[in-house]
Amino acid sequence: MQSAVLFKNVSRHYGEVRAVHAVDLEVRAGEFFAMLGPSGSGKTTSLRLIAGFEQPTSGHIEIFGETAEGVPPYRRNVNTVFQDYALFPHMSVRDNVAYGLMIAGMGRKARYAKAEEALELVRLPGYGDRAPAALSGGQRQRVALARALVNEPKVLLLDEPLGALDLKLREQMQEELKSLQKSLGITFIFVTHDQGEALSMADRVAVFDHGKIQQVGTPQDIYQRPDTPFVADFVGSSNVLPADMVLELTGHHAAASLRPEAIRIGAEEKHAATVAGASYIGAVTRVSLNFRQMQLSALVPAGVAVPETGETVSIGWDREALHLMERGS
Ligand code: ADP
Ligand code: MG
């Protein structure tokens, strides 16, 4: 498959700060790719390198097989939807959406027709006359999307685009963005610090930490087979068992992840633990367990009895639920 974006050993340093460091990355044409990581891990800098707003300190970037060095942002076939939308407040929605086409020299009538098409795509037909200030947050977000899509980019970069929306609207937009991406066939690179969002939307996810990529894989890879303790912990708050404990349990000396939902509590189980606390979180109850030298988090589904705090219980898990991580142990 053709690659949409290729990073070869790319770094972007600011003095001592290694915002992006020695990153190799391939985003495939037509995929929905998520960059996931905590604040400050280098996600925005990576997007800005792709867009051409930043230049690498070292390394090489290609976009659809062409070297990006020396190519200015407006000639890269890439558009960005910014977290704060960055709409022009004094312009109508129509002029905001048509802005890129105006800069490219397209006549008024043609660009207004294109703008209306883009507004239909984001389900805001007929909103062209309004001022951005007269729209809700969710509608402004759609206008920002239309303004990027109208240029028919080959790659659309989205920097935490749903961060400012409330939960319900965010979930709705997640589904819309995903179906829009599938129907348009454009490569989407979507930045988020929300693991649930990345796992539910993306074909593949890159997990960033301190300017480096820890793992790239499908949501299932990342969630079920994390390569490092950082990925296990960040993506779905797994329990990370230290190598010495795993040696006692399995005979292998490597750290291991154990998902909270994989831990069973019941008389027939084999390991002793004491209950340190429990909190009800809706469909499940999260139970903290003191097990040997560590605290484990377990999820008990609704309808199953929750043990009392202080109680000694037996716990267990399927052997394959303990996922060994050779890296970072
Ligand atoms: P993220 O988007 O994952 O939150 P960023 O890419 O914005 O992370 O930032 C990565 C690191 O680089 C942070 O430590 C940030 O402070 C630093 N950084 C980003 N841009 C600049 C800049 N223009 N000058 C100095 N440091 C920067
Ligand atoms: Mg950022």
Side-chain angles (χ1 to χ4, degrees), residues 43-44 83 159-160 191:
K43 308 179 300 293
T44 294
Q83 177 166 18
D159 195 354
E160 313 228 12
V191 160

Side-chain angles (χ1 to χ4, degrees), residues 14 21 49 82 97 102 114 116 125 139 142 145 156 193 201 209 211 243 245 258 266-267 276 290 306 320 322:
Y14 300 100
H21 187 64
L49 286 164
F82 298 96
V97 175
M102 182 189 77
K114 287 260 182 206
E116 185 58 27
Q139 289 170 335
R142 286 163 195 268
L145 189 60
L156 186 67
H193 63 268
M201 297 179 79
D209 182 37
M245 189 187 286
L258 180 60
N290 290 323
V306 175
E320 59 275 15
L322 204 62

Side-chain angles (χ1 to χ4, degrees), residues 170-235:
R170 200 158 74 221
E171 287 174 348
Q172 186 190 334
M173 279 304 288
Q174 286 170 2
E175 286 180 23
E176 281 189 33
L177 277 177
K178 203 163 159 48
S179 66
L180 199 59
Q181 191 270 335
K182 290 291 169 241
S183 64
L184 295 174
I186 297 174
T187 307
F188 275 31
I189 304 180
F190 184 96
V191 160
T192 180
H193 63 268
D194 181 324
Q195 49 275 43
E197 192 162 276
L199 295 182
S200 68
M201 297 179 79
D203 297 318
R204 291 193 308 145
V205 180
V207 183
F208 279 72
D209 182 37
H210 287 97
K212 303 200 66 137
I213 292 181
Q214 293 258 329
Q215 185 172 1
V216 180
T218 64
Q220 290 77 10
D221 288 336
I222 299 283
Y223 188 81
Q224 287 163 12
R225 293 173 292 280
D227 278 350
T228 67
F230 175 83
V231 174
D233 182 51
F234 188 73
V235 182

Side-chain angles (χ1 to χ4, degrees), residues 12-15 17-20 37-46 48 54 159-160 191 208 211:
R12 178 65 174 107
H13 296 175
Y14 300 100
V17 180
R18 297 172 161 194
V20 170
S39 177
S41 59
K43 308 179 300 293
T44 294
T45 304
S46 296
R48 293 174 58 82
E54 294 284 347
D159 195 354
E160 313 228 12
V191 160
F208 279 72

Side-chain angles (χ1 to χ4, degrees), residues 70-185:
V71 182
Y74 60 89
R75 292 201 37 228
R76 287 195 180 198
N77 245 320
V78 169
N79 275 97
T80 308
V81 177
F82 298 96
Q83 177 166 18
D84 61 3
Y85 315 146
L87 299 177
F88 302 116
H90 58 284
M91 284 184 191
S92 69
V93 164
R94 179 179 298 109
D95 282 321
N96 264 283
V97 175
Y99 185 77
L101 302 175
M102 182 189 77
I103 296 298
M106 188 182 283
R108 191 187 185 89
K109 205 168 162 205
R111 69 176 189 262
Y112 280 2
K114 287 260 182 206
E116 185 58 27
E117 275 175 32
L119 285 169
E120 276 168 24
L121 213 52
V122 300
R123 306 204 303 143
L124 286 178
Y127 277 68
D129 288 331
R130 306 223 187 160
L135 302 178
S136 71
Q139 289 170 335
R140 278 203 284 273
Q141 168 26 248
R142 286 163 195 268
V143 173
L145 189 60
R147 189 177 58 172
L149 290 173
V150 80
N151 302 310
E152 299 175 8
K154 287 170 94 171
V155 182
L156 186 67
L157 308 176
L158 303 112
D159 195 354
E160 313 228 12
L162 310 181
L165 306 181
D166 61 49
L167 181 63
K168 195 140 186 224
L169 200 52
R170 200 158 74 221
E171 287 174 348
Q172 186 190 334
M173 279 304 288
Q174 286 170 2
E175 286 180 23
E176 281 189 33
L177 277 177
K178 203 163 159 48
S179 66
L180 199 59
Q181 191 270 335
K182 290 291 169 241
S183 64
L184 295 174

